[in-house]
Amino acid sequence: MKIALIGGTGFVGSAVLTELLSRGHAVTALARHPEKFGAQAGLEVVKADVADAAQVARAVAGHDAVVSAYNPGWGEAEIHRLFGLGYDGILAGAKQAGVKRVLAVGGAGSLEVAPGLQLVDTPEFPAEWKQGALAARDLLTRLRGETTLDWTFVSPPIALAPGERTGRYRVGGDQLLPGTGEAPAGISVADLAVAIVDEIEKPKHTRQRFTVAN
């Protein structure tokens, strides 16, 4: 497949890039700073600002899907606003290019920890992550009203960390998957990437959100 990847130098995006290339897919990475990527077989890097729909459209035209791990940075003071502007460009650009399949990587904040209660709304949710989590939740709400794109939104569990690629994971829907004992459920970023590429290759959650954990 020919996949357009956004956020390919980030924690999740770089793992997705590795997984896509290892399976023989052709990847076009959109980046404001293409020099951050090293040369790899199967990878083309295109300079583009994701907030500019026209630039996104030119870069993703002719691709089978767009995978976005876009995040302006957890330390960015304006993360909520910039996250929204970025996805304005990404979604509009995909539509302009006629690419219907878009998978967006969100966060765990919008997963339910009890009926009607999302993790981001609990008193214990860390303040430093809240604006980013709210931005991702807003994106999910927006996608649920989307009638043009065949979107998928994936939420990692609370504990997302470096680790080995096992190729195994559990799948859930809108609820936080249970962990063992007092520890929250987690997954290695490599296995999250496996789940993302599996979904791109064989879609099971079109116009749905899903979550995964080891």
Side-chain angles (χ1 to χ4, degrees):
M1 296 175 70
K2 191 175 183 182
I3 309 297
L5 177 64
I6 296 166
T9 60
F11 182 53
V12 173
S14 59
V16 173
L17 175 60
T18 297
E19 185 68 23
L20 285 167
L21 293 177
S22 74
R23 299 196 198 186
H25 297 294
V27 180
T28 301
L30 283 64
R32 292 179 68 181
H33 301 286
E35 66 277 5
K36 291 184 177 181
F37 287 87
Q40 297 184 67
L43 172 65
E44 178 185 1
V45 183
V46 175
K47 185 176 176 64
D49 181 350
V50 297
D52 187 320
Q55 291 185 32
V56 173
R58 285 194 295 270
V60 307
H63 289 69
D64 297 302
V66 175
V67 176
S68 175
Y70 172 70
N71 188 320
W74 288 105
E76 169 58 58
E78 293 191 83
I79 186 172
H80 193 286
R81 183 181 69 85
L82 294 175
F83 190 93
L85 287 175
Y87 271 99
D88 285 346
I90 292 166
L91 300 181
K95 290 178 184 178
Q96 289 176 26
V99 180
K100 291 179 67 68
R101 186 82 175 112
V102 175
L103 184 149
V105 181
S110 58
L111 290 167
E112 289 188 349
V113 295
L117 178 64
Q118 295 180 352
L119 181 64
V120 70
D121 295 323
T122 62
E124 300 81 16
F125 195 84
E128 63 267 28
W129 307 114
K130 188 148 191 171
Q131 288 306 308
L134 291 173
R137 180 170 70 179
D138 289 349
L139 172 63
L140 177 58
T141 300
R142 176 179 180 174
L143 289 172
R144 283 175 166 158
E146 178 60 56
T147 57
T148 301
L149 299 171
D150 291 332
W151 60 271
T152 297
F153 184 99
V154 58
S155 287
I158 292 175
L160 175 63
E164 66 174 329
R165 181 193 187 281
T166 69
R168 299 187 303 272
Y169 54 88
R170 294 178 288 149
V171 179
D174 290 322
Q175 289 75 41
L176 196 69
L177 288 169
T180 54
E182 295 297 316
I187 196 169
S188 70
V189 71
D191 279 340
L192 175 62
V194 171
I196 288 169
V197 180
D198 284 351
E199 177 66 25
I200 288 295
E201 291 181 343
K202 295 181 179 179
K204 295 180 180 178
H205 301 93
T206 302
R207 297 189 180 179
Q208 296 178 54
R209 182 257 291 278
F210 76 104
T211 186
V212 291
N214 286 133

